[in-house]
Amino acid sequence: QVQLVESGGGLVQAGGSLRLSCAASGYSFSSFPIGWFRQGLGKAREFVVAISRSGVSTYYADSVKGRFTISRDNAKNTVTLQMNSLKPEDTDVYYCARGLGYPHLQPSGYDYWGQGTQVTVSS
């Protein structure tokens, strides 16, 4: 079965960095784009970034552009999200998801989701 598992979240001070990973299994990984979303308590799930099947194309939300970098390794079925210059407003649960197309900016454009990993940025 399709599975996506996030890891790498944690607590970091403002200005610091974290690297999130998304490990996929149960399907042909290179055939689907991947997206990252984030969600806080009582808030809607927010698009962060998407990467195309090959990894050549990426699309970032304005709020993270220039600070976050996404990459994928199709040989290892993994996607990495490098987050630099973190701000307190980046605090959320981060989810990776399998895309139905590229780029989809809404959660409805993704069919399988990981369980999420908590990122907390202290001021």
Side-chain angles (χ1 to χ4, degrees), residues 51-99:
I51 189 165
S52 64
R53 293 175 296 174
S54 66
V56 169
S57 299
T58 57
Y59 191 96
Y60 294 89
D62 287 343
S63 58
V64 306
K65 202 173 294 182
R67 300 188 297 122
F68 290 12
T69 303
I70 190 172
S71 60
R72 68 187 293 164
D73 185 338
N74 285 344
K76 296 183 178 179
N77 290 6
T78 58
V79 171
T80 298
L81 181 62
Q82 178 67 43
M83 306 188 297
N84 298 329
S85 303
L86 283 162
K87 306 174 182 180
E89 51 264 44
D90 293 319
T91 295
D92 270 327
V93 177
Y94 283 71
Y95 300 88
C96 65
R98 189 178 80 167

Side-chain angles (χ1 to χ4, degrees), residues 8 15 21-22 27 30 33 37 39 41-42 44 60 64 85 89 91 102 107 116:
S21 293
C22 174
Y27 71 100
S30 61
F37 285 74
Q39 187 171 23
L41 279 175
Y60 294 89
V64 306
S85 303
E89 51 264 44
T91 295
Y102 173 85

